[in-house]
Amino acid sequence: MRAVVYTGYGVTPVLTRAADPPCPADGVVIAVGATGVCRSDWHAWKGHDPVTLPHIGGHEFAGVITQAGPGVTRWRAGDRVTVPFACGCGRCEYCLAGDAQVCPWQTQPGFTGPGSFAEFVAVHAADANLVPLPDAVDFVTAACLGCRFATAFRAVTAHGRVREGDWLAVHGCGGVGLSAVLIGAALGARVIGVDVSAAALERARALGAEVTVDAGADPAAAIGELTGGGAHVSIDALGSPAVAAASVRCLRRRGRHVQVGLLPEGSVPLPMDLVIARELEVYGSHGMAARDYPAMMRLVADGTLRPGLLVGEVIGLGDAGRALAAMDGPPATAGLTVVRIPLTGTTEPPAESAGS
Ligand SMILES: [Zn+2]
Ligand SMILES: [Zn+2]
């Protein structure tokens, strides 16, 4: 197959030929129709998250199953599917409860194994991890869903429990933050975008934020004033000690903070005095399991949610390495770069066609 491979951290990935992935006994091989280029791929390429070299990145994708292992009962070749970025083992107590996003044995194509910057990618424990793709959702749109969008959807709906008319503060208007802005606004929330970048705030307004707040001043005080007591729900979509604390401080009584931005530095102090005095709820959110996708997918298929608005550039596989390397610069506000790959059928010719 054709794949974008890097042989060392920071070494420009090149389009080359690689072995087709073997089909796991409990998994499938998927012909990749489209795959997003995410900052997490860039972190792996830079060596911030160790991977086995040489490596094929890519973890937010959609495509068509070309092979299914003998242990797979729910899927077969020809099914259009997408996958959460964190795939569960399918057997532990968390997976059996539908919470594969916290499976201790989770695998992540593009990190723990070869990813989707390739014509084919393998996914383990297919029965637990695949999500059916409605005909109305094209591959490029679906490639937006697996990472930032599903993460934001779960933060806003499952943890935030945002209702129509609620104030939703989104701190950090990058990829996952803008997804939360779009989802919150589409579900009828009054969204407040918070960022230090004027360009990011402009994007937030374009995607449905009712107001924006400069994170450089005192965002918690500003939000308290403009909402008459604080936000009902607040999300730290950036991940920093100061932002996490500001997100908790901007809540009204009985409000809910959702931590989505990763905190690579480790533990951070939160104003627990306010958590108790105002009876706040504090959640961590790590992606979304396949079980919870259908509710989101219905809203995408009927046009309530329009993740396609988050797509910036659509490129070919040959440009994926360049797109990854371009992330050395400051975060772009233009949107998600998606690689579209023409489907090439199956990984190997069927035996019965030999000689025909
Ligand atoms: Zn991602
Ligand atoms: Zn598991």
Side-chain angles (χ1 to χ4, degrees), residues 35-260:
T35 175
V37 183
C38 178
R39 189 151 281 271
S40 304
D41 296 310
W42 177 84
H43 281 297
W45 175 60
K46 296 299 273 187
H48 306 157
D49 296 314
V51 293
T52 304
L53 297 169
H55 184 66
I56 302 169
H59 60 279
E60 34 191 82
F61 60 93
V64 175
I65 296 174
T66 58
Q67 291 179 56
V72 177
T73 61
R74 295 180 53 212
W75 307 94
R76 58 185 175 187
D79 289 345
R80 298 171 81 248
V81 292
T82 188
V83 187
F85 71 86
C87 294
C89 72
R91 293 183 299 274
C92 72
E93 64 173 290
Y94 303 102
C95 285
L96 294 176
D99 287 322
Q101 79 281 1
V102 291
C103 171
W105 297 278
Q106 63 186 244
T107 55
Q108 301 186 356
F111 300 103
T112 60
S116 53
F117 296 148
E119 288 177 310
F120 301 100
V121 63
V123 174
H124 293 266
D127 284 340
N129 292 310
L130 297 190
V131 177
L133 204 56
D135 289 340
V137 181
D138 63 82
F139 291 140
V140 169
T141 302
C144 303
L145 301 178
C147 187
R148 63 194 67 191
F149 200 82
T151 298
F153 182 81
R154 188 147 179 280
V156 170
T157 61
H159 298 305
R161 308 194 301 278
V162 166
R163 292 166 308 186
E164 206 171 334
D166 280 355
W167 285 105
L168 167 65
V170 179
H171 301 255
C173 295
V176 73
L178 289 173
S179 300
V181 167
L182 184 154
I183 292 162
L187 298 179
R190 306 180 72 182
V191 179
I192 306 164
V194 187
D195 206 289
V196 290
S197 153
L201 294 179
E202 197 183 315
R203 279 287 288 157
R205 283 191 295 273
L207 291 169
E210 182 175 321
V211 279
T212 53
V213 167
D214 179 357
D218 182 350
I223 291 167
E225 196 157 317
L226 74 90
T227 57
H232 297 85
V233 179
S234 182
I235 297 175
D236 173 5
L238 182 81
S240 86
V243 173
S247 175
V248 172
R249 283 194 291 110
C250 84
L251 288 169
R252 74 198 302 121
R253 285 153 202 281
R254 304 301 305 272
R256 297 174 289 283
H257 162 75
V258 189
Q259 187 66 39
V260 169

